[in-house]
């Protein structure tokens, strides 16, 4: 009886000569019919052959680049040179393959090359499973094989087996569905070197591809040397899809204060197709613990974001005290981003970053976590209406200072706006536009809740009780027109109304039992005498009072602005011109007096019960909205001059004239109040502000100065006496502030200060000399500095300098002068020096929280050290690179709880 391989060979020969059709197996699955045309009759002729029930169910393709030899006695095909055998999804390749047609067994191995060395070792793949081996034997019928010295990859794991048994899925002898791989004397590792640097050596391993690997008793082996690290058994999930499972600890710590602990031990949960979550915990034997929940979500073309909630309870034993200090803190971090394609008119997104009790600084020691003192949050939803002039939005904002412990939360903040509309514009107008058609109207309404609290009372009942609420309405109408061609005028009317639901009330409190401290004396007769020792003359206690209080404010005015251009040109030299643009503006406004409507008074000193002992205050102080106003009517004439300076210079590099901005702006502003009453002065101080940038925007210089028209008294208060009447000068210098802020990378500095590249030699002799190998030493000497400075390309430098000049005290003081550097230095392909932060504060003459370390790439392992000498903390880790086996590490660190001040 013929096997199917014999039938296929016969069919191929017949079809090749007679042009037969592809053979078809009959429905009875026990015969094979071949149809081909008869050259004599011109009709199709069919032949039917019986097929063995043990034959394969599909065609087997085999080939070889060198030669093929058929052994008729043993029914074997011998394939030489890049041989391959393909059956269904299975592919077997090697330099030498022997395929037995009777048993359907293939034997593959390497073949000696011209030097006698074995090459072309077997490569086996089946439905995504791949092996490389020294020798392989496989049965195509039973789908079982024996592989010697096999190497296979399962996800991030690489398994080396001395003897491997492969059992394919859907075995005819069992109900098995999945492929199974059995290894003996195997090594599991993530090292892709030919001879792995390390691994987990196990006598037995069972692997279900893309699902699980189970190992028996095993030990860690480094460079072929067994270590005492022993495991009784192990499970390694290898699913390419997301599945629930344990998360091994990120760090193992030992602290004198907290004891032995594990960090980031947890569980992974794939919630849905678009969302997952990780629950991580920190646990220490002395009672400290922490818990965090991390979740990420993503929907294509819709949104993505992260949620990170953390709680920390650190228990510290203070030397000399019996009680244990418990330091609790938590953190809320949320980020949501909406895809631009999700919706054309709705937007939702932002970030939330709230923490209490220095959560980040307690649990982390890097420079960014320790030095950051200001945290902010902004989260908003907005909706626009197509074809309509209005929009609606809702937002949440938060600001927090970890040094002062103060927290301000604005939530919810509802905002409704009507964009500028022109109610008098004629939509069907023909001809020139009328002046009244330019009248524009704008409105905004805002409802707001404000919480002022600290990080120790956040979300407490006291925070909700002290919350402030309010509603604000603003309406504006204006008109724009031009006069005399160059002057633009804008008359406007403004109305504002604020609804306060809580106001401030101040109360004078004097309690003789508390504010008078008595002392006792014994007279010569032994009689005790009680006399007052110290007396406090009372205090003012502010508190919040609930109640509806409307505040209304009206103002009107007109403004005028224009532009004046000036140019000075030079025909020769580097400087070719200076351009000065002046944008003068004049405004006139009127605001009626509102102080008396919201004024109250409180006694401040029991010793002065007359009116001099009382102080006026506004009941709208500390309100949810700012409702500041001055006493008396305000009729002010304001002025401002915005100056812009630009230059034009000649560039010899490309022989063109280029522009250079000298100052972005220098603004001079002030006003004159015609209705100033009492001790109020008509002229306001003159303010001068300016900003410019250097080094292609890397450095910013800003300044502000204040000059006054009036003189001052001995206490430094302004008096109704012009400065012109004293020293004969128009303006009195009050104060000056200057600040320089620079952030540059080393690469940017090199581009700014390095000389321009040399011109290539034009003389053939010079070109030959440049190509002469004997001149390579000079070339290397020229390139050596560049290669050295390339090491610092990842570094950045921040420099901040602030200066204050006080004209009243005639003093000059530098308030800020710091320089900081951060980055990484790749001194070799394997060694890296990391600088999280290192800086110097010139005012306090000290380093500013140095944070640096180094790391070493050990191929499949890593070595990392970080050190923060100011805190006295450090971390040393040797471990497997991040991946499935990254829980294997040796950490040694000293955290902030074990330090007492640093250096």
């Amino acid at each position: 009886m013929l096997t199917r391989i014999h039938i296929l060979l016969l069919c191929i020969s017949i079809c090749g000569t007679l042009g037969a059709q592809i053979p078809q197996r009959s429905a009875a699955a026990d015969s094979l019919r071949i149809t081909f045309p008869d050259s004599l009759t011109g009709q199709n002729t069919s032949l039917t052959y019986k097929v063995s029930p043990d034959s394969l169910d599909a065609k087997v393709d085999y080939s070889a680049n060198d030669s093929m030899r058929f052994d008729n006695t043993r029914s074997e095909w011998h394939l030489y040179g890049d041989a391959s055998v393909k059956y269904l999804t299975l592919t077997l390749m090697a330099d030498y393959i022997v395929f037995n047609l009777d048993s359907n067994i293939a034997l593959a191995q390497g073949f000696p090359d011209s030097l006698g060395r074995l090459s072309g070792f077997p490569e086996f793949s089946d439905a995504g499973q791949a092996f490389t081996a020294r020798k392989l034997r496989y049965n195509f019928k039973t789908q079982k094989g024996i592989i010697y010295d096999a190497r296979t990859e399962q996800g991030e794991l690489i398994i080396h087996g001395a003897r491997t048994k492969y059992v394919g899925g859907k075995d005819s002898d069992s109900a098995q569905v999945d492929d199974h791989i059995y290894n003996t004397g195997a090594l599991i590792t993530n090292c892709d070197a030919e001879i792995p640097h390390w691994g987990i050596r196990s006598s037995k391993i069972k692997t279900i591809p893309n699902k699980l690997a189970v190992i028996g008793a095993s030990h860690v082996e480094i460079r072929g040397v067994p270590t005492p690290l022993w495991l009784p058994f192990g499970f390694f999930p290898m699913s390419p899809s997301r599945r629930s499972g344990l998360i091994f600890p990120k760090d193992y710590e030992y602290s004198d204060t907290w004891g032995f602990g594990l960090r980031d031990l947890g569980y992974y949960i794939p919630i849905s197709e678009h969302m997952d979550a990780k629950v991580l915990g920190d646990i220490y034997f002395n009672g400290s613990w922490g818990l965090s929940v991390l979740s990420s979500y993503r929907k294509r073309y819709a949104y993505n974001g992260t949620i990170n909630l953390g709680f920390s309870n650190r228990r510290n034993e203070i030397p000399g005290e019996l009680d244990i200090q418990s330091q609790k803190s938590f953190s809320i971090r949320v980020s949501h981003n909406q895809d631009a394609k999700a919706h054309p008119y709705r937007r939702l997104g932002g970030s939330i970053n709230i923490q209490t009790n220095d959560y980040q600084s307690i649990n982390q020691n890097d420079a960014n976590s320790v030095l950051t003192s200001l945290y902010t949050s902004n989260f908003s939803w907005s909706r626009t209406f197509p074809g309509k002039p209005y929009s609606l939005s809702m937002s949440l904002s938060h600001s927090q200072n970890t040094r002062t412990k103060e927290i301000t939360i604005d939530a919810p903040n509802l905002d409704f706006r009507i964009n500028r509309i022109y109610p008098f514009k004629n939509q069907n107008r023909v001809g020139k536009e009328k002046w009244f058609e330019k009248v524009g109207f704008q409105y905004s309404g805002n409802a707001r809740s404000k919480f002022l609290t600290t990080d120790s009372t956040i979300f407490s009942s006291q925070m909700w009780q002290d919350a402030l609420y309010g509603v604000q309405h603003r309406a504006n109408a204006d008109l724009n027109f031009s006069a005399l061609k160059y002057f633009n005028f804008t008359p406007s009317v403004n109305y504002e109304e604020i609804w306060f639901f809580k106001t401030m009330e101040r109360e004078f409190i004097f309690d003789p039992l508390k504010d008078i401290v008595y002392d006792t004396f014994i007279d010569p007769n032994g009689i005790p005498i009680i006399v007052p020792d110290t007396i406090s003359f009372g205090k003012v206690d502010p508190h919040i009072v609930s109640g509806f209080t409307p505040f209304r404010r009206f103002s009107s005015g007109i403004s005028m602005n224009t532009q004046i251009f000036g140019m000075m040109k030079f025909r020769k030299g580097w400087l070719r011109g200076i351009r000065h643009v002046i944008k003068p503006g004049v405004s006139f406004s009127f605001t009626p007096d509102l102080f008396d409507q919201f004024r109250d008074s409180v006694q401040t000193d029991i010793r002065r019960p007359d009116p001099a002992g009382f102080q006026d205050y506004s009941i709208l102080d500390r309100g949810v909205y700012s409702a500041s106003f001055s006493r008396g009517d305000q009729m002010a004439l304001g002025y401002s001059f915005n100056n812009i300076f630009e230059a034009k210079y000649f560039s010899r590099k490309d022989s063109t004239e280029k522009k250079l901005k000298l100052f972005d702006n220098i603004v001079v502003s002030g006003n004159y109040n015609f209705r100033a009453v009492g001790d109020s002065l008509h002229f306001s101080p003159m303010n001068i502000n300016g900003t410019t940038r250097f080094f292609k925007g890397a450095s910013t210089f800003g300044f502000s100065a204040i000059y006054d028209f009036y003189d001052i008294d001995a206490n430094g208060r302004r008096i109704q006496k012009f400065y012109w009447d004293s020293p004969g000068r128009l303006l009195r210098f009050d104060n000056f502030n200057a600040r320089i802020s620079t952030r540059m990378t080393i690469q940017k500095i090199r581009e700014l200060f390095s000389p321009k590249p040399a011109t290539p030699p034009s003389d053939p002799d010079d070109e030959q000399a440049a190509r002469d190998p004997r001149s390579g030493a000079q070339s290397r000497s020229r390139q050596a500095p560049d290669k050295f400075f390339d090491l610092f390309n990842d570094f950045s430098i921040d420099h901040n300098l602030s200066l204050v000049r006080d004209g009243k005290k005639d003093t000059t003081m530098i308030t800020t002068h710091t320089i900081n550097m951060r980055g990484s230095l790749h001194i070799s392909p394997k060694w890296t020096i990391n600088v999280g932060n290192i800086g110097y504060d010139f005012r306090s003459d000290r380093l500013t929280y140095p944070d640096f370390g180094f790391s070493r790439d050990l191929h499949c392992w890593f070595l990392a050290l970080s050190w923060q000498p100011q805190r006295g903390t450090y971390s040393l880790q040797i471990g497997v690179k991040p991946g499935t086996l990254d829980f294997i590490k040796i950490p040694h660190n000293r955290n902030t709880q074990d330090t007492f001040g640093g250096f």
Side-chain angles (χ1 to χ4, degrees):
M1 186 175 291
L2 296 175
T3 64
R4 189 171 186 184
I5 299 299
H6 292 87
I7 298 298
L8 289 176
L9 294 176
L10 178 60
C11 293
I12 292 172
S13 61
I14 296 175
C15 294
T17 57
L18 301 180
Q21 298 178 2
I22 298 176
Q24 302 292 329
R25 192 164 185 172
S26 68
D30 59 357
S31 62
L32 185 68
R33 175 176 293 180
I34 302 176
T35 302
F36 57 91
D38 191 336
S39 59
L40 298 177
T41 63
Q43 298 180 354
N44 292 334
T45 302
S46 298
L47 297 177
T48 302
Y49 298 90
K50 291 185 178 181
V51 179
S52 171
D54 296 331
S55 64
L56 301 177
D57 294 334
K59 179 182 178 181
V60 177
D61 294 325
Y62 52 91
S63 64
N65 286 344
D66 191 347
S67 61
M68 293 189 295
R69 180 175 61 86
F70 181 70
D71 188 342
N72 190 36
T73 304
R74 299 182 180 181
S75 298
E76 291 180 343
W77 275 102
H78 295 258
L79 311 177
Y80 300 91
D82 293 333
S84 67
V85 177
K86 297 181 180 180
Y87 170 67
L88 296 177
T89 60
L90 184 149
T91 301
L92 175 62
M93 295 187 298
D95 264 8
Y96 175 59
I97 298 177
V98 178
F99 183 72
N100 189 289
L101 301 179
D102 295 332
S103 62
N104 297 315
I105 296 177
L107 175 66
Q109 61 186 25
F111 196 79
D113 58 12
S114 59
L115 299 178
R117 297 173 301 185
L118 289 179
S119 61
F121 290 104
E123 297 181 8
F124 175 88
S125 63
D126 183 12
Q129 304 305 313
F131 301 88
T132 58
R134 179 178 58 85
K135 185 177 181 181
L136 184 148
R137 182 182 178 90
Y138 184 77
N139 190 316
F140 286 81
K141 180 63 179 179
T142 61
Q143 299 184 25
K144 296 180 181 179
I146 300 296
I147 308 170
Y148 301 91
D149 295 340
R151 180 184 184 274
T152 179
E153 296 184 10
Q154 299 293 334
E156 297 178 353
L157 301 180
I158 301 174
I159 302 177
H160 296 261
R163 187 174 185 271
T164 302
K165 180 179 180 181
Y166 175 80
V167 180
K170 299 181 180 180
D171 186 4
S172 60
D173 298 335
S174 66
Q176 175 183 317
V177 177
D178 298 316
D179 297 345
H180 286 64
I181 303 173
Y182 302 88
N183 291 275
T184 58
L187 185 73
I188 300 179
T189 181
N190 69 336
C191 182
D192 58 0
E194 183 177 355
I195 301 177
H197 299 128
W198 81 283
I200 299 176
R201 177 72 69 179
S202 178
S203 58
K204 295 181 180 180
I205 299 178
K206 177 181 178 180
T207 304
I208 304 177
N210 297 326
K211 287 189 176 181
L212 182 69
V214 183
I215 68 175
S218 56
H219 61 271
V220 177
E221 186 177 285
I222 300 177
R223 291 286 185 176
V225 179
T227 67
L229 299 177
W230 179 81
L231 297 173
F233 59 88
F235 299 89
F236 297 94
M238 297 180 298
S239 173
S241 61
R242 301 180 306 161
R243 294 191 179 184
S244 301
L246 291 174
I247 299 176
F248 285 93
K250 178 181 178 181
D251 287 324
Y252 313 92
E253 288 186 333
Y254 180 79
S255 165
D256 295 336
T257 303
W258 295 344
F260 180 79
L262 303 175
R263 299 196 67 176
D264 292 341
L265 170 68
Y267 196 80
Y268 174 78
I269 307 172
I271 299 176
S272 67
E273 180 184 356
H274 305 291
M275 188 176 186
D276 64 359
K278 290 190 292 186
V279 181
L280 304 177
D282 305 338
I283 183 171
Y284 296 86
F285 284 8
N286 286 4
S288 295
W289 61 280
L291 183 67
S292 63
V293 178
L294 293 83
S295 177
S296 61
Y297 55 90
R298 175 182 294 274
K299 187 174 182 180
R300 184 176 295 182
Y301 308 124
Y303 52 78
N304 65 84
T306 59
I307 301 174
N308 191 340
L309 308 177
F311 177 80
S312 173
N313 183 11
R314 304 306 190 198
R315 293 165 56 88
N316 300 322
E317 295 184 7
I318 307 301
E321 297 184 7
L322 297 178
D323 296 335
I324 297 178
Q325 180 184 6
S326 181
Q327 195 171 8
K328 299 178 180 180
S329 59
F330 71 85
S331 171
I332 301 175
R333 287 184 291 174
V334 179
S335 175
H336 180 86
N337 302 292
Q338 178 178 311
D339 194 286
K341 302 177 182 178
H343 200 281
Y345 308 117
R346 283 200 305 264
R347 297 290 300 171
L348 175 67
S351 62
I352 298 175
N353 192 354
I354 302 175
Q355 65 171 268
T356 65
N357 203 17
D358 290 338
Y359 176 90
Q360 200 72 15
S361 180
I362 291 174
N363 294 279
Q364 305 293 335
N365 295 314
D366 60 281
N368 186 59
S369 299
V370 174
L371 299 178
T372 301
S373 60
L374 183 63
Y375 293 89
T376 60
S377 303
N378 288 283
F379 203 92
S380 63
W381 170 88
S382 61
R383 177 73 163 90
T384 58
F385 302 88
K388 305 296 182 181
Y390 48 81
S391 61
L392 181 67
S393 65
M394 184 180 296
S395 64
L396 174 152
S397 63
H398 145 267
S399 63
Q400 175 182 3
N401 192 317
T402 58
R403 295 180 181 176
T404 62
K405 309 298 183 181
E406 296 179 350
I407 298 178
T408 301
I409 301 176
D410 289 328
N413 192 348
L414 182 64
D415 191 77
F416 175 77
R417 293 181 179 272
I418 298 179
N419 300 330
R420 186 173 302 279
I421 60 176
Y422 299 90
F424 305 112
K425 179 170 288 189
N426 187 358
Q427 301 297 332
N428 300 319
R429 175 182 50 81
V430 177
K432 189 176 181 180
E433 186 179 33
K434 305 295 183 181
W435 67 268
F436 55 83
E437 295 185 69
K438 299 181 180 179
V439 175
F441 174 80
Q442 194 174 7
Y443 167 82
S444 66
N446 181 266
R448 182 181 180 187
S449 299
K450 187 175 184 179
F451 302 89
L452 301 174
T453 182
T454 62
D455 62 359
S456 60
T457 59
I458 188 173
F459 302 134
S460 65
S461 59
Q462 186 65 36
M463 187 194 78
W464 303 108
Q465 294 175 7
D466 296 340
L468 302 175
Y469 312 96
V471 179
Q472 181 186 59
H473 305 272
R474 286 182 174 179
N476 166 268
D478 58 20
L479 170 66
N480 295 313
F481 63 91
S482 300
L484 301 177
K485 190 177 180 180
Y486 299 107
F487 298 92
N488 300 316
F489 291 86
T490 306
S492 62
V493 178
N494 304 285
Y495 177 78
E496 180 181 17
E497 182 170 331
I498 303 176
W499 298 342
F500 290 92
F501 297 97
K502 289 185 178 182
T503 56
M504 177 67 64
E505 184 178 276
R506 301 178 187 270
E507 181 182 2
F508 180 75
I509 300 176
F510 176 76
D511 188 351
L513 298 179
K514 296 181 179 179
D515 295 341
I516 301 178
V517 180
Y518 297 90
D519 200 357
T520 303
F521 295 91
I522 306 297
D523 66 1
N525 298 324
I527 300 175
I529 300 176
I530 300 176
V531 297
D533 184 20
T534 58
I535 299 176
S536 175
F537 298 101
K539 64 177 182 178
V540 177
D541 180 32
H543 56 275
I544 301 296
V545 178
S546 299
F548 178 73
T549 303
F551 167 79
R552 301 177 179 89
R553 177 163 48 194
F554 168 84
S555 65
S556 62
I558 184 172
S559 63
M560 183 276 294
N561 62 79
T562 186
Q563 295 189 48
I564 302 174
F565 298 90
M567 177 72 75
M568 182 180 295
K569 295 184 178 181
F570 308 96
R571 294 184 177 180
K572 298 181 179 180
W574 175 80
L575 185 63
R576 294 301 175 91
I578 297 177
R579 186 189 187 197
H580 181 198
V581 181
I582 306 175
K583 297 181 179 181
V586 180
S587 63
F588 179 82
S589 62
F590 173 77
T591 305
D593 180 18
L594 301 174
F595 183 75
D596 290 340
Q597 302 178 30
F598 306 98
R599 177 180 62 87
D600 204 346
S601 61
V602 62
Q603 187 177 358
T604 58
D605 196 335
I606 194 176
R607 297 170 298 178
R608 303 168 63 187
D610 53 59
F614 286 78
Q615 181 182 15
D616 293 339
Y617 70 94
S618 171
I619 63 174
L620 304 182
D621 286 349
R622 303 184 185 179
V624 65
Y625 294 101
S626 174
S628 59
F629 37 77
S630 302
R631 183 179 302 181
D633 294 337
Q634 299 292 311
M635 183 182 291
L637 178 66
Y639 59 90
S640 67
F641 300 91
N642 187 3
N643 300 268
I644 301 175
F645 293 91
E646 297 177 328
K648 185 175 289 187
Y649 67 95
F650 181 78
S651 175
R652 296 182 178 179
K653 184 176 182 180
D654 49 10
S655 301
T656 59
E657 293 183 353
K658 296 184 178 181
K659 292 182 179 180
L660 173 66
K661 184 168 286 189
L662 302 178
F663 272 93
D664 295 342
N665 57 73
I666 299 179
V667 182
V668 181
S669 61
N671 65 76
Y672 180 87
N673 185 13
F674 295 94
R675 301 291 296 272
V677 296
D679 296 335
S680 300
L681 306 177
H682 291 280
F683 280 102
S684 71
M686 179 185 293
N687 298 288
I688 304 175
N689 302 277
T691 304
T692 188
R693 292 175 174 84
F694 303 103
F695 308 123
K696 297 182 180 180
S699 183
T700 302
F701 170 74
F703 72 91
S704 63
I706 298 178
Y707 288 86
D708 204 337
F709 292 93
Y710 298 98
D711 204 350
I712 57 175
D713 58 14
N715 296 321
R717 293 177 298 187
R718 303 171 72 205
I719 59 176
Q720 288 185 332
K721 180 181 179 182
F722 283 106
Y723 194 61
W724 177 268
D725 299 333
S726 297
R729 298 179 183 174
L730 178 62
L731 297 173
R732 175 183 57 83
F733 172 73
D734 190 85
N735 65 73
F736 174 82
N737 293 271
R739 57 199 176 277
I740 299 176
S741 178
T742 304
R743 180 176 179 82
M744 300 184 70
T745 62
I746 301 299
Q747 180 67 23
K748 187 72 174 181
I749 296 175
R750 292 177 57 191
E751 292 176 357
L752 290 173
F753 297 102
S754 61
K756 59 183 180 180
T759 304
S762 57
D763 185 29
D765 295 336
D766 294 337
E767 295 179 2
Q768 181 65 29
R771 293 192 298 265
D772 190 348
R774 291 173 294 180
S775 62
Q778 297 179 359
S779 300
R780 286 191 296 270
S781 65
R782 289 194 299 267
Q783 295 175 1
D786 292 337
K787 292 184 178 180
F788 174 77
F789 286 111
D790 285 342
L791 300 175
F792 300 89
N793 283 342
D794 292 339
F795 271 82
S796 64
I797 299 176
D798 297 333
H799 177 253
N800 293 279
L801 174 64
S802 298
L803 180 144
V804 175
R805 169 69 178 171
D806 192 336
K808 298 176 183 178
K809 300 179 181 179
D810 194 22
T811 58
T812 302
M813 181 174 61
I814 297 177
T815 57
T816 302
H817 192 194
T818 61
I819 185 169
N820 293 276
M821 182 172 63
R822 63 193 63 194
S824 57
L825 178 64
H826 303 282
I827 58 178
S828 74
K830 300 294 184 180
W831 282 99
T832 302
I833 297 177
N834 303 302
V835 179
N837 178 78
I838 184 168
Y840 192 79
D841 189 334
F842 294 92
R843 292 186 66 249
S844 58
D845 194 22
R846 65 181 181 88
L847 293 174
T848 55
Y849 197 77
D851 174 18
F852 46 83
F854 67 86
S855 61
R856 165 70 176 175
D857 186 350
L858 301 174
H859 188 252
C860 48
W861 286 62
F862 73 93
L863 168 67
L865 171 69
S866 64
W867 180 38
Q868 300 82 29
Q870 189 167 336
R871 270 196 172 190
T873 59
Y874 60 82
S875 175
L876 174 64
Q877 290 192 359
I878 303 176
V880 178
K881 285 185 176 180
T884 305
L885 302 175
D886 60 359
F887 64 91
I888 301 177
K889 62 178 62 177
I890 306 175
H892 179 68
N893 51 37
R894 186 185 190 190
N895 218 320
T896 180
Q897 74 280 351
D898 295 322
T899 63
F900 300 95
F903 73 95

